[in-house]
């Protein structure tokens, strides 16, 4: 009795994981078949008929000494005495039980290889790992054939339970629902096979060997489906589920043609809902993601459809850089290489819509299927359409190439006569502390300088006064990048213009910076953060140019340079200082910025998409700043400014010594300036020679070019050449 009760409990617990409709259908077939057999075996005659009427509740049941009955959901399943049965009857009985077990229906002779009371504590994932076994009463040949197919039972239970649980779960998501539907569709062939096997069994056209042969191909199929169902459970995003399915396909062998085709159909069907979101975003610029499955999220408060109705003041590079948030965990692995194109296509469509630019939108269905690269071509075309249109608008309607040329002309001081004329007008004013300067006056001097220029967008250039020196800005920036700080810490640690880290005593020639005003949509390419990077390079160049200007004026003006005629040593020192400033300036302009800006100009002329220009401009500015100012060692920029101040102090000394000191006294002080200049120049050479050992090829080449230029300068000095050679 205990054995009967345990087996009955097992049947009821396994039934919990099955489809109710499927179970009832199978049980009714068993019940109808048993009644049919009983009617054929029931003897005829009045005596038997009377007996049947008196015992209607039990007349259809075999005698207790021959049969044991198990209750399974209201139906009865016969457990026969196999020892008294012939081999053909055993085979028929075994095939019947196997067919029921393959459908998830509990059978009398197929049992799990675990304790019965553990079933209720197991998850659906663990049930797929259960090993089933046959009763040992069957002959060894039958057991050997049937054992091969027994894992199919656990695989089917796992898949079917996933389908049922997903369909009954209200918050499972579209991707899981689609996966459950796709698995159910694929199981239809399996159901057809079961129906055929059952029909052949009833018609006595089936033997155990043939049953195993027909079922065997479904072992790897249902095993894969079971693994897919088990992997799809848990707290996974839709993209992660799709990535897992894609990986299942990739892990299959090429010889498993049928299985790969089935998995591909499941993957294509399951990914359809996600690819529809991608298509709507790329071809319409609309985010319709009510279940938060897509890897692009709109930060703008709006309805389920992404809004693009913006106030004019919002249109800027910073706004569009922060408008959309990217969530990598929502990106399927098979779209990883196209992620940028997907994101930028929808973003540019919204930008063009905001710019009131008309564009014929692409309308092509998007789907994913392994082995078919059609989706990649559609994604590429969907991106190129708005990206090319955006570039065309900026070039033809907003003169983008001319603005980029102006950045070189003014920020790199390459406009002919611009820097000399501007310095001539304001060099006396820039000697004062920055707190005493008036930006409006500098802007007036700048306007006077540009008055005769033929540049019709020259009014975009502005004068600005900074309160933080370049060395500090570079040092803070490099420290934040190297430490990998988050955005909040970077904002806190960066040298803010409104809240400098310390009180700095800057002069006008150190604080002066040029700005460049651009309106939307040009500001998407030439944006403030990019100009701030370029400003640091411009400020260093302007400082070197300022020092060179003072040394040149001192050389050319006899009335100011009377003291220089008193000693030959002072003339040589001034010449070395002037050559040093020229070498540093030429290194930044000719060795670093000029070749890279030429490459940028060629890119702008040949570019087909807006990102080619944007990425090239950003990389050009980054390289010019990194290779020209060597921010990895912010002491380099500090050394440049210190060396420049030594030259300015020497100019002040010469101008203030006219007629006040004897030749001997002047000679002695010139020697002191010479030693100071020599000391700082040597320290710069040592620093650059150390930086030339870096692993970065571009930085190493930049340092070698600078050492070569300064090496030419050393010939004019009386430094020990062996000492310099050892430093280089």
């Amino acid at each position: 009795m205990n054995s009967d009760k345990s087996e009955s409990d097992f049947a009821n617990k396994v039934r919990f994981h099955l489809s109710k409709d499927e179970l009832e259908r199978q049980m009714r077939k068993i019940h109808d078949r048993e009644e049919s057999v009983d009617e054929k075996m029931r003897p005829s005659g009045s005596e038997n008929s009377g007996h049947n009427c008196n015992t209607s509740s039990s007349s259809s049941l075999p005698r207790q000494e021959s049969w044991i009955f198990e209750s399974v959901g209201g139906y009865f399943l016969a457990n026969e005495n196999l020892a008294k049965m012939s081999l053909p009857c055993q085979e028929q009985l075994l095939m019947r039980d196997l067919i029921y077990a393959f459908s998830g229906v509990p059978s009398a002779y197929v049992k799990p290889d675990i304790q019965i009371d553990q079933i209720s504590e197991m998850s659906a994932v663990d049930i797929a790992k259960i090993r089933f076994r046959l009763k040992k009463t069957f002959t060894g040949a039958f057991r050997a054939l049937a054992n091969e197919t027994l894992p199919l039972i656990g695989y089917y239970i796992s898949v079917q339970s996933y389908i049922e649980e997903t369909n009954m779960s209200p918050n499972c998501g579209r991707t899981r629902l689609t996966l459950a539907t796709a698995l159910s569709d694929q199981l239809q062939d399996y159901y057809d096979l079961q129906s055929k096997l059952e029909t052949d069994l009833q018609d006595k056209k089936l033997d155990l060997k043939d049953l195993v042969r027909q079922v065997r191909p479904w072992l790897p199929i249902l095993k894969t489906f079971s693994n897919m169902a088990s992997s799809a459970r848990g707290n996974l995003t839709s993209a992660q589920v799709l990535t897992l399915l894609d990986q299942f396909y990739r892990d299959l062998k090429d010889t498993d043609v049928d299985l790969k085709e089935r998995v591909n159909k499941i993957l294509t069907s399951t990914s359809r809902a996600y690819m529809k979101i991608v298509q709507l975003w790329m071809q319409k610029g609309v985010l319709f993601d009510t279940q938060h499955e897509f890897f692009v999220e709109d930060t703008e408060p709006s309805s389920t459809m992404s809004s693009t109705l913006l106030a004019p003041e919002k249109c800027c590079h910073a706004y569009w850089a922060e408008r959309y948030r990217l969530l990598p965990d929502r990106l399927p692995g098979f779209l990883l290489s196209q992620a940028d194109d997907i994101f930028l296509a929808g973003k540019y469509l919204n930008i063009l819509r905001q710019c009131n630019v008309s564009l014929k939108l692409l309308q092509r269905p998007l789907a994913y299927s392994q082995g078919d690269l059609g989706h990649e071509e559609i994604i590429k075309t969907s991106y190129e359409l708005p990206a090319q249109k955006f570039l065309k608008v900026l070039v033809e309607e907003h003169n983008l190439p001319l603005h980029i040329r102006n950045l070189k002309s003014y920020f790199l001081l390459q406009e002919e006569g611009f820097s000399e004329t501007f310095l001539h007008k304001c060099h006396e004013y820039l000697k004062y502390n920055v707190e005493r300067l008036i930006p409006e006056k500098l802007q007036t001097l700048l306007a006077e300088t540009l008055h005769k220029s033929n540049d019709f967008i020259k009014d975009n250039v502005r004068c600005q006064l900074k309160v933080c020196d370049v060395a500090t800005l570079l040092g803070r920036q490099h420290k934040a990048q190297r430490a990998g700080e988050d955005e909040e810490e970077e904002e806190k640690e960066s040298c803010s213009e409104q809240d400098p880290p310390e009180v700095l005593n800057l002069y006008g020639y150190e604080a002066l910076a040029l700005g460049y005003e651009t309106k939307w949509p040009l500001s998407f390419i030439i944006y403030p953060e990019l100009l701030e990077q370029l400003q640091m390079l411009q400020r260093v160049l302007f400082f070197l140019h300022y020092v060179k200007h003072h040394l040149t004026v001192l050389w050319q003006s006899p009335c100011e340079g009377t003291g220089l005629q008193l000693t030959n040593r002072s003339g040589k020192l001034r010449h070395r200082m002037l050559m040093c400033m020229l070498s540093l300036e030429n290194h930044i302009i000719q060795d670093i910025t000029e070749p890279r800006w030429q490459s940028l100009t060629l890119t702008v002329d040949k570019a087909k998409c807006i990102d080619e220009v944007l990425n090239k401009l950003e990389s050009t500015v980054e390289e010019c700043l990194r290779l020209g100012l060597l921010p990895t060692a912010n002491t380099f920029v500090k050394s440049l400014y210190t060396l420049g101040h030594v030259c300015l102090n020497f100019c002040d000394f010469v101008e203030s010594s006219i007629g006040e000191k004897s030749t001997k006294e002047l000679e002695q002080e010139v020697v002191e300036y010479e030693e100071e200049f020599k000391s700082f120049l040597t320290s710069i050479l040592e620093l650059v020679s150390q930086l030339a050992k870096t692993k970065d090829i571009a930085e190493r080449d930049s340092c070698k070019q600078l050492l070569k230029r300064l090496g030419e300068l050393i010939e004019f000095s009386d430094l020990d050449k062996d000492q310099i050679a050892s430093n280089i």
Side-chain angles (χ1 to χ4, degrees):
M1 294 296 295
N2 292 336
S3 175
D4 294 343
K5 185 177 183 303
S6 298
E7 292 176 350
S8 178
D9 290 342
F10 164 71
N12 290 327
K13 291 172 182 177
V14 172
R15 182 175 179 273
F16 175 77
H17 296 280
L18 305 176
S19 167
K20 182 178 179 181
D21 294 339
E22 176 68 15
L23 184 62
E24 289 182 354
R25 182 178 66 83
Q26 298 290 344
M27 290 298 98
R28 289 188 186 278
K29 288 183 179 181
I30 297 171
H31 183 65
D32 294 339
R33 190 180 310 141
E34 293 296 332
E35 287 184 347
S36 176
V37 173
D38 290 342
E39 288 177 359
K40 293 180 181 179
M41 296 178 62
R42 186 180 301 122
S44 61
S46 59
E47 183 179 355
N48 290 336
S49 300
H51 177 73
N52 289 340
C53 293
N54 294 332
T55 59
S56 60
S57 62
S58 60
S59 61
S60 62
L61 301 180
R63 291 174 297 177
Q64 288 294 324
E65 59 268 18
S66 300
W67 296 87
I68 299 175
F69 287 86
E70 296 180 344
S71 176
V72 182
Y75 300 94
F76 290 92
L77 195 63
N79 189 354
E80 303 183 34
N81 189 350
L82 297 177
K84 298 181 180 181
M85 297 181 64
S86 64
L87 290 180
C89 291
Q90 284 190 24
E91 184 180 20
Q92 291 292 313
L93 187 62
L94 177 57
M95 288 190 294
R96 183 200 66 183
D97 271 27
L98 285 175
I99 292 173
Y100 294 160
F102 294 156
S103 303
V105 179
S107 59
Y109 304 109
V110 181
K111 303 294 181 182
D113 200 13
I114 62 170
Q115 295 295 325
I116 299 298
D117 56 1
Q118 296 178 8
I119 292 291
S120 60
E121 301 176 1
M122 297 181 67
S123 65
V125 177
D126 295 328
I127 288 179
K129 303 176 183 178
I130 297 176
R131 295 183 61 186
F132 288 82
R133 57 183 173 82
L134 294 175
K135 278 192 173 182
K136 295 183 179 180
T137 315
F138 287 105
T139 64
F142 288 165
R143 292 202 310 271
L145 279 172
N147 283 337
E148 180 184 352
T149 63
L150 293 182
L152 202 63
I153 304 170
Y155 300 152
Y156 176 81
I157 293 174
S158 176
V159 175
Q160 189 63 31
S161 63
Y162 173 81
I163 295 173
E164 294 296 329
E165 291 173 8
T166 302
N167 289 333
M168 292 186 292
S169 176
N171 300 316
C172 63
R174 287 180 298 182
T175 300
R176 283 188 171 85
L177 276 174
T178 310
L179 174 59
T181 303
L183 287 172
S184 181
D185 293 342
Q186 287 297 317
L187 286 180
Q188 186 59 49
D189 292 340
Y190 181 70
Y191 297 147
D192 294 341
L193 174 63
Q194 289 177 330
S195 177
K196 177 181 179 301
L197 292 175
E198 190 172 7
T199 301
D200 291 345
L201 179 64
Q202 291 176 352
D203 297 340
K204 299 188 181 302
K205 296 179 180 179
L206 184 69
D207 57 30
L208 183 59
K209 186 176 181 180
D210 189 38
L211 182 145
V212 173
R213 180 185 61 80
Q214 295 186 57
V215 169
R216 185 182 290 118
W218 281 94
L219 279 168
I221 295 175
L222 282 186
K223 181 180 180 180
T224 302
F225 289 178
S226 175
N227 291 335
M228 292 167 64
S230 300
S231 301
R233 300 177 190 270
N235 189 23
L236 298 178
T237 64
S238 296
Q240 290 170 336
V241 172
L242 294 177
T243 301
L244 285 173
L245 297 182
D246 186 63
Q247 191 60 45
F248 272 112
Y249 179 90
R250 296 176 185 273
D251 292 340
L252 294 175
K253 298 179 180 179
D254 294 335
T255 54
D256 300 329
V257 179
D258 180 63
L259 180 54
K260 294 192 74 170
E261 183 179 352
R262 291 179 181 276
V263 174
N264 190 31
K265 287 181 179 179
I266 293 175
L267 176 59
T268 301
S269 177
T270 307
S271 63
R272 187 171 293 116
Y274 191 93
M275 298 302 287
K276 186 65 177 179
I277 301 176
V278 176
Q279 178 185 344
L280 193 63
W281 167 249
M282 294 193 69
Q283 299 181 11
K284 304 293 183 182
V286 174
L287 274 178
F288 189 74
D289 184 23
T290 56
Q291 297 187 359
H292 305 289
E293 298 175 297
F294 195 41
F295 78 101
V296 179
E297 187 175 78
D298 195 348
T299 61
E300 191 76 8
S302 62
S303 62
T304 55
M305 306 290 283
S306 63
S307 173
T308 56
L309 301 177
L310 308 175
E313 60 272 11
K314 277 191 173 183
C315 293
C316 62
H317 182 277
Y319 171 80
W320 288 104
E322 299 174 0
R323 168 73 183 268
Y324 301 106
R325 181 165 53 242
L326 300 182
L327 304 170
D329 60 327
R330 297 185 188 176
L331 177 65
F334 54 81
L335 292 180
L336 188 60
S337 59
Q338 292 90 35
D340 289 340
D341 289 351
I342 294 173
F343 167 63
L344 293 174
K347 178 179 176 180
Y348 290 153
L349 282 176
N350 284 311
I351 291 177
L352 291 173
R353 188 175 292 121
Q354 183 63 37
C355 297
N356 198 25
V357 175
S358 60
L359 179 66
K360 185 178 180 180
L361 300 177
L362 185 70
Q363 296 183 1
R364 293 177 62 184
L366 185 63
Y368 176 71
S369 177
Q370 268 287 354
D372 184 5
L373 301 180
H375 71 285
E376 294 185 2
E377 183 65 28
I378 295 176
I379 289 174
K380 181 181 178 181
T381 305
S382 300
Y383 158 74
E384 290 177 346
L385 189 64
Q388 291 175 356
K389 183 66 174 182
F390 193 16
L391 177 61
K392 183 178 180 181
V393 170
L394 292 179
V395 171
E396 296 181 358
E397 300 181 16
H398 299 277
N399 300 301
L400 176 61
L402 181 58
H403 285 280
I404 292 180
R405 185 190 67 82
N406 277 359
L407 293 182
K408 175 187 176 184
S409 299
Y410 298 117
F411 280 79
L412 302 181
L413 308 180
Q414 296 296 292
E415 182 71 12
E416 184 178 357
F418 166 71
S419 56
E420 291 79 6
T421 305
F422 184 54
L423 274 174
H424 180 74
K425 291 179 176 294
C426 65
H427 75 279
E428 291 294 334
Y429 190 59
L430 294 177
K431 290 181 179 180
Y432 297 110
N433 190 280
V434 66
E435 296 178 352
R436 299 178 57 186
L437 302 182
I438 303 174
E440 290 77 7
K441 184 175 181 179
L442 287 172
Q443 184 63 38
T444 301
L445 295 175
L446 178 63
E448 293 176 359
T449 303
L450 297 175
H451 178 68
K452 296 182 179 180
S453 174
N454 296 325
D455 183 8
F456 66 92
I457 54 175
K458 58 191 176 185
D459 294 336
N460 290 21
V461 185
R462 294 286 185 271
C463 273
Q464 299 175 359
L465 292 174
K466 304 294 183 177
V467 294
C468 188
D469 67 290
V470 177
T472 302
L473 282 173
L474 286 173
R476 299 277 178 163
Q477 183 185 67
H478 178 66
K479 181 180 178 181
Q481 293 174 351
R482 184 178 54 186
E485 298 173 344
D486 57 30
E487 293 181 2
E488 293 182 359
E489 291 179 343
E490 286 180 7
E491 292 177 2
K492 182 177 179 180
E493 291 293 329
S494 63
C495 181
S496 172
E497 298 286 331
Q498 290 77 20
D499 187 20
E502 56 182 302
V503 178
L504 299 171
N505 186 26
L506 295 182
Y507 293 98
Y509 53 81
E510 297 175 296
L512 178 65
L514 296 179
Y516 198 82
E517 292 186 358
T518 53
K519 297 181 179 180
W520 180 258
L522 198 62
S523 58
F524 182 82
I525 296 292
I526 305 175
Y527 53 93
E529 293 79 8
L530 182 75
L531 293 177
E532 287 176 2
Q533 299 293 310
L534 200 55
Q535 272 183 345
M536 288 189 280
L537 191 62
Q538 172 261 311
R539 290 173 66 184
V540 173
L541 283 174
F542 186 81
F543 174 74
L544 295 176
H545 210 73
Y546 179 85
V547 176
K548 186 183 69 172
H549 176 79
H550 266 261
L551 290 170
T552 303
V553 169
L554 195 66
W555 179 275
Q556 293 176 347
S557 303
C559 61
E560 298 179 3
T562 305
L564 295 176
Q565 301 174 4
L566 299 178
T567 64
N568 185 48
R569 195 181 197 99
S570 61
K572 289 183 178 181
L573 177 58
R574 180 189 54 191
H575 183 71
R576 287 197 295 269
M577 289 180 174
L578 182 61
M579 294 300 296
C580 181
M581 294 299 107
L582 279 171
S583 297
L584 292 171
E585 183 180 358
N586 289 338
H587 168 68
I588 295 176
I589 293 177
Q590 297 178 9
D591 298 340
I592 305 300
T593 61
E594 185 64 30
R596 286 164 178 80
W597 219 267
Q598 288 180 358
S599 177
L600 172 62
T601 303
L602 292 176
T603 300
V604 173
D605 294 338
K606 297 180 180 180
K608 296 181 179 179
C609 296
I610 186 64
D611 288 297
E612 295 181 39
V613 177
L614 180 59
N615 294 336
K616 184 64 176 180
L617 177 60
E618 290 176 340
S619 64
T620 298
V621 173
E622 187 274 333
E623 286 183 9
C624 290
L625 188 67
R626 175 169 56 90
L627 303 179
L629 303 186
L630 303 175
T632 53
N634 62 316
T635 52
F636 175 73
V637 175
K638 289 182 179 179
S639 300
L640 293 186
Y641 274 88
T642 303
L643 189 66
H645 282 112
V646 171
C647 298
L648 293 176
N649 292 338
F650 175 72
C651 293
D652 293 338
F653 157 72
V654 172
E655 292 175 354
S656 62
S657 300
I658 300 175
E660 295 183 2
K661 297 181 180 180
S662 63
T663 302
K664 186 176 181 180
E665 292 174 337
L666 288 173
E667 183 76 16
Q668 181 62 36
E669 294 196 28
V670 168
V671 171
E672 294 178 2
Y673 276 106
E674 187 178 54
E675 291 297 328
E676 187 177 15
F677 176 78
K678 185 190 307 181
S679 174
F680 282 113
L681 181 59
T682 303
S683 65
I684 291 177
L685 288 170
E686 292 175 349
L687 175 62
V688 175
S689 63
Q690 290 298 320
L691 293 176
K693 300 176 182 179
T694 181
K695 296 181 179 180
D696 187 284
I697 298 177
E699 289 188 20
R700 186 164 65 243
D701 292 342
S702 174
C703 292
K704 290 181 178 180
Q705 288 173 329
L706 179 57
L707 287 173
K708 183 178 180 181
R709 286 188 176 275
L710 294 179
E712 296 174 356
L713 173 64
I714 293 171
E715 296 177 359
F716 294 95
S717 68
D718 54 357
L719 295 175
D720 185 2
K721 292 185 179 181
D722 294 335
Q723 178 184 354
I724 297 302
S726 63
N727 289 333
I728 296 177

